[in-house]
Amino acid sequence: MAALGDGDFAALQILLKAPSKDAVRQLCQECFSSPPAAPGPLAQRACPGLAVSAEEAEQLVSALHNLTRHVVYRGLTGAEDILCLFPENFHQNLKNLLTKIILENISAWRNEAQASQISLPRLVDMDWRVDIKTSSDSIVRMAVPTCLLQLKIQEDAALCGNNPVVSALTVELSKETLDTMLEGLGRIRDQLSAVANK
Amino acid sequence: MGLLNFTRDPVPEAVSGDMHNLNQLSAQQFSELTEVLFRFLTEPKEVERFLTQLSDFATMNKISLGPLKNIVKSILLVPNGALKRNLSSEQVRADFIALGLSEEKASYFAEQWKVNSPTLTRLAVGQTLMINQLIDMEWKFGVTAGSSELEKVGSIFLQLKLVVKKGTQLENVYVELTLPQFYSFLHEMERVKTSLESFS
């Protein structure tokens, strides 16, 4: 993640025209979550309140996005670390306000970044039911228990944007398969405990 | 012929003739033939081997292969029907006698049936339809060290690969779980096991 350039800090000074501290706060939160490649829509919403041109508003949105993302990326937690990012001649009060807002939101933003990380399709839900098979074309009468397991799997959030695709997969397990699976899961649990206890 | 246990359909006419021919075999020959038959029944995929063994039997005992195959077809009607209907060995014996087989040979076959029926039943249950059967599960877990959004992460991830049989093809399904999800999954699977065991 590239550090911020002078152009970014210049753009940030536009915030001095903001109507209130809450407006700045609101804008910071929205800029963090906005996609970096498309500052347009958010900028258009912001520029009336700031009385700037669309182009300047876009620069501001980009700059705020870069600033907030940079802090989250580096994992900065202290006020001093954040204050150090700003150049010497940056407006003092604005610098303090931005630092304060960032510190307020940092852990929520960190969680959001982690949640939207790329990953394999994620398990979102699971349900099961146990059936007793009483008859089939190969045996007229039997009483064989079997398990149906439904896994709801969500594709990578980053690919789907706001409409995550959730697919349901239903698998059937015999008792033997379930026992083997539990053995495997037990081994995972043991290894996890071993790692946690190190 | 009275009511048979292994089938409700009328039996082909050739069967009584085949049973008569079977009665002509010595006890030793009948026991060998029965062994060949049960070996095939317990391993139904070994068709080549079965046909070879039948042909060897025919040569050694100076019987023509054609008629022998017909006899075998008739005999196999009974164990196939018996398996489907969970018949006891007494019922199998009674059916063979009703078809015309000697008491001695019928009793012998029924004995062999009793010995082999657990294996055969398990095979038949195994053939029962399973939807999207779970064949295999592979897993790996590790630590996410960093990402494009977070320089240092340090969270644990668990990835499962489930191999599912869809019809005749195998499909791989990849899923990622967080640690709390894993423990919840394990807990639910243990509940399923308890449930399955209470119904066994």
Side-chain angles (χ1 to χ4, degrees):
Chain A
M1 190 120 310
L4 284 86
D6 292 329
D8 288 321
F9 286 110
L12 285 176
Q13 309 251 39
I14 298 173
L15 284 171
L16 292 168
K17 295 193 204 170
S20 68
K21 291 189 180 163
D22 281 332
V24 176
R25 187 168 283 124
Q26 174 89 352
L27 196 58
C28 284
Q29 284 168 342
E30 287 177 1
C31 289
F32 176 80
S33 307
S34 82
L42 180 54
Q44 288 196 346
R45 273 181 288 145
C47 67
L50 296 166
V52 290
S53 69
E55 198 189 312
E56 287 176 316
E58 272 191 29
Q59 283 173 340
L60 171 61
V61 166
S62 262
L64 262 180
H65 177 88
N66 289 345
L67 174 64
T68 49
R69 288 276 168 175
H70 180 80
V71 173
V72 169
Y73 177 74
R74 297 294 310 284
L76 303 177
T77 47
E80 310 75 39
D81 300 321
I82 303 176
L83 289 167
C84 283
L85 293 172
F86 294 87
E88 294 261 335
N89 57 353
F90 198 84
H91 190 283
Q92 194 69 6
N93 288 347
L94 183 59
K95 181 167 70 176
N96 290 337
L97 176 64
L98 283 173
T99 305
K100 179 160 166 257
I101 293 172
I102 290 173
L103 283 175
E104 280 170 6
N105 287 289
I106 192 89
S107 56
W109 284 341
R110 215 187 141 78
N111 288 341
E112 190 180 319
Q114 223 166 325
S116 56
Q117 212 162 256
I118 58 167
S119 73
L120 287 180
R122 289 188 201 179
L123 183 70
V124 289
D125 198 9
M126 91 170 248
D127 290 307
W128 57 266
R129 99 177 184 207
V130 165
D131 286 345
I132 312 277
K133 296 200 250 210
T134 52
S135 181
S136 82
D137 57 333
S138 45
I139 292 201
V140 161
R141 209 177 45 234
M142 57 179 172
V144 177
T146 186
C147 169
L148 283 172
L149 178 65
Q150 186 186 68
L151 302 167
K152 292 221 179 72
I153 298 172
Q154 184 186 65
E155 291 302 316
D156 192 352
L159 290 172
C160 311
N162 286 330
N163 301 327
V165 176
V166 179
S167 59
L169 172 72
T170 307
V171 290
E172 186 170 341
L173 297 90
S174 65
K175 187 164 176 308
E176 291 73 31
T177 313
L178 178 70
D179 287 339
T180 311
M181 184 196 231
L182 272 175
E183 222 181 294
L185 293 177
R187 255 182 278 143
I188 298 176
R189 181 193 48 206
D190 295 339
Q191 292 197 4
L192 283 171
S193 320
V195 165
N197 290 338
K198 275 209 184 113
Chain B
M1 198 173 304
L3 221 51
L4 291 165
N5 294 312
F6 77 91
T7 183
R8 251 170 263 186
D9 301 325
V11 167
E13 283 189 21
V15 173
S16 38
D18 290 329
M19 292 294 142
H20 176 76
N21 289 337
L22 263 182
N23 285 332
Q24 309 307 314
L25 292 177
S26 71
Q28 173 71 13
Q29 290 170 319
F30 185 74
S31 130
E32 279 172 21
L33 184 61
T34 308
E35 204 185 306
V36 168
L37 287 176
F38 274 104
R39 217 175 291 147
F40 172 60
L41 283 173
T42 49
E43 291 174 302
K45 297 211 177 113
E46 301 285 338
V47 181
E48 287 268 345
R49 186 187 70 183
F50 175 55
L51 292 174
T52 313
Q53 287 177 340
L54 268 189
S55 147
D56 290 342
F57 180 85
T59 319
M60 272 203 307
N61 294 287
K62 301 197 179 35
I63 309 174
S64 346
L65 189 54
L68 179 64
K69 283 193 182 165
N70 288 334
I71 293 175
V72 163
K73 241 203 311 212
S74 294
I75 303 178
L76 284 178
L77 287 174
V78 180
N80 285 336
L83 189 57
K84 213 165 166 165
R85 288 145 188 272
N86 298 335
L87 295 186
S88 65
S89 60
E90 288 77 39
Q91 287 169 310
V92 168
R93 180 176 169 275
D95 278 353
F96 269 119
I97 292 176
L99 289 176
L101 194 60
S102 71
E103 270 194 39
E104 193 196 324
K105 293 193 165 74
S107 299
Y108 181 77
F109 195 95
E111 247 329 287
Q112 296 309 304
W113 168 257
K114 196 169 181 184
V115 167
N116 283 291
S117 71
T119 313
L120 293 173
T121 312
R122 223 175 301 133
L123 264 178
V125 170
Q127 275 169 16
T128 306
L129 185 65
M130 275 198 111
I131 314 286
N132 287 355
Q133 186 182 6
L134 181 67
I135 306 282
D136 194 16
M137 177 179 91
E138 288 175 27
W139 49 264
K140 75 173 175 215
F141 71 85
V143 176
T144 303
S147 74
S148 49
E149 303 302 311
L150 297 162
E151 196 176 26
K152 291 199 191 66
V153 183
S155 58
I156 298 183
F157 67 83
L158 174 70
Q159 285 169 355
L160 290 181
K161 169 181 155 189
L162 303 169
V163 182
V164 177
K165 191 167 180 189
K166 288 197 166 178
T168 41
Q169 289 176 315
L170 293 183
E171 187 183 301
N172 295 332
V173 178
Y174 297 93
V175 188
E176 192 167 311
L177 289 83
T178 62
L179 219 49
Q181 280 178 323
F182 165 70
Y183 284 115
S184 166
F185 185 64
L186 176 58
H187 177 67
E188 287 303 308
M189 289 291 102
E190 284 178 342
R191 285 176 75 198
V192 176
K193 176 170 169 155
T194 313
S195 179
L196 280 179
E197 277 178 350
S198 73
F199 288 118
S200 297

